[in-house]
């Protein structure tokens, strides 16, 4: 380590040297270029000192710090207004619900093909199977329908037999009542 002109300790090792020697050369070249640019700008300013841009504003190099601030504020306000137009009514980005559906589904959209979730697919298959079963059941092709039809046929047969028996009993009773009446009439008349 050595001392520089101000008396500060400076390391000469390339390992600890933060500056690259090539940077010093580039800095000297850039300083020369910037001096040349400044001279060119001064000569341009002298030639067109009172010229303004077509918009009526001074060129960017001639703007004061306050004017640049105002220009930035205007640009920011324009960006904000454009952004608000695209958002259309949403007040704060933090309050926007990410699950909110922007596009409402129409009846025509319901018929459009889309991949169903597992749960939806299972429900659909279950519903279709139930409909197939009831269609076959109505036709009498399922085991349950066959047993139901056999039981109903047996019940009908029993009811028909019971009705025939009641009818026969009613006829027998009617015959008996008629026989009693004739017997009573014959006793009275005789």
């Amino acid at each position: 380590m050595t001392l520089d002109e101000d008396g500060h300790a400076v390391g000469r090792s390339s390992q600890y040297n933060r500056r690259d020697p090539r940077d010093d050369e580039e800095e000297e070249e850039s300083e020369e270029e910037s001096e040349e640019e400044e001279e060119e700008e001064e000569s341009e300013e002298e030639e067109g000192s009172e010229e303004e841009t077509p918009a009526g504003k001074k060129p960017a190099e001639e703007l004061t710090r306050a004017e640049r601030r105002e220009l930035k504020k205007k640009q920011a306000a324009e960006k904000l207004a454009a952004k608000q137009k695209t958002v259309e009514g949403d007040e704060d980005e933090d309050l926007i619900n990410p699950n909110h559906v922007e596009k409402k589904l129409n009846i025509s959209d319901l018929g459009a093909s889309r991949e169903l979730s597992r749960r939806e697919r299972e429900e659909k298959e279950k519903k279709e199977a139930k409909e197939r079963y009831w269609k076959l059941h109505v036709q009498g092709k399922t085991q349950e329908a066959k047993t139901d039809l056999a039981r109903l046929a047996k019940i009908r047969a029993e009811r028909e037999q019971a009705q025939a028996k009641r009818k026969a009993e009613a006829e027998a009773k009617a015959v008996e009542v008629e026989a009693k009446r004739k017997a009573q009439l014959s006793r009275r008349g005789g």
Side-chain angles (χ1 to χ4, degrees):
M1 287 188 124
T2 60
L3 294 175
D4 66 354
E5 7 180 275
D6 296 329
H8 297 120
V10 179
R12 295 285 181 196
S13 172
S14 62
Q15 178 182 2
Y16 299 109
N17 193 0
R18 292 185 184 167
R19 296 181 109 188
D20 192 9
R22 291 174 284 184
D23 290 343
D24 293 336
E25 295 171 7
E26 290 175 6
E27 285 180 12
E28 290 173 6
E29 291 175 7
S30 63
E31 286 176 5
E32 291 173 6
E33 290 175 3
S34 63
E35 288 175 5
E36 291 174 4
E37 289 175 2
E38 287 177 7
E39 290 175 8
E40 289 176 9
E41 288 176 2
E42 287 177 8
S43 63
E44 289 176 3
E45 286 178 6
E46 291 173 2
E47 292 174 1
S49 61
E50 306 228 353
E51 291 181 17
E52 292 186 0
T53 58
K57 297 180 181 178
K58 296 179 181 179
E61 296 88 25
E62 294 182 13
L63 293 176
T64 64
R65 183 177 181 198
E67 290 172 337
R68 285 192 303 259
R69 269 195 212 157
E70 289 177 20
L71 184 62
K72 273 192 170 182
K73 285 181 182 178
K74 287 179 185 177
Q75 290 173 347
E78 290 172 0
K79 285 182 181 178
L80 183 63
K83 189 175 182 182
Q84 286 179 347
K85 286 180 183 178
T86 59
V87 171
E88 296 179 359
D90 289 340
E91 296 175 8
D92 190 8
E93 290 181 11
D94 295 334
L95 300 176
I96 296 173
N97 183 356
N99 297 327
H100 178 69
V101 177
E102 293 291 330
K103 182 182 175 190
K104 304 277 182 183
L105 289 178
N106 295 331
I107 294 173
S108 61
D109 294 340
L110 295 176
S113 62
R114 66 176 183 89
E115 189 174 328
L116 300 174
S117 68
R118 179 188 56 82
R119 185 174 292 156
E120 291 171 335
R121 187 179 61 248
E122 287 174 356
E123 286 178 9
K124 184 180 176 186
E125 290 171 357
K126 188 176 181 181
K127 183 180 176 185
E128 290 172 353
K130 197 172 193 177
E131 288 174 1
R132 277 194 312 270
Y133 176 80
W134 281 107
K135 187 176 179 182
L136 292 173
H137 186 76
V138 169
Q139 294 173 357
K141 294 182 179 179
T142 63
Q143 186 64 34
E144 186 179 353
K146 290 176 184 176
T147 57
D148 286 347
L149 290 173
R151 184 173 45 86
L152 289 174
K154 183 179 176 184
I155 291 172
R156 278 193 201 117
E158 289 174 359
R159 286 183 181 168
E160 288 174 4
Q161 289 174 357
Q163 187 177 7
K165 187 177 178 184
R166 280 195 303 266
K167 191 175 184 181
E169 288 175 357
E171 288 176 8
K173 194 171 189 180
V175 170
E176 190 179 316
V177 169
E178 191 66 30
K180 281 185 181 179
R181 189 192 281 165
K182 285 183 184 179
Q184 282 181 349
L185 283 176
S186 61
R187 285 188 214 156
R188 286 187 193 175

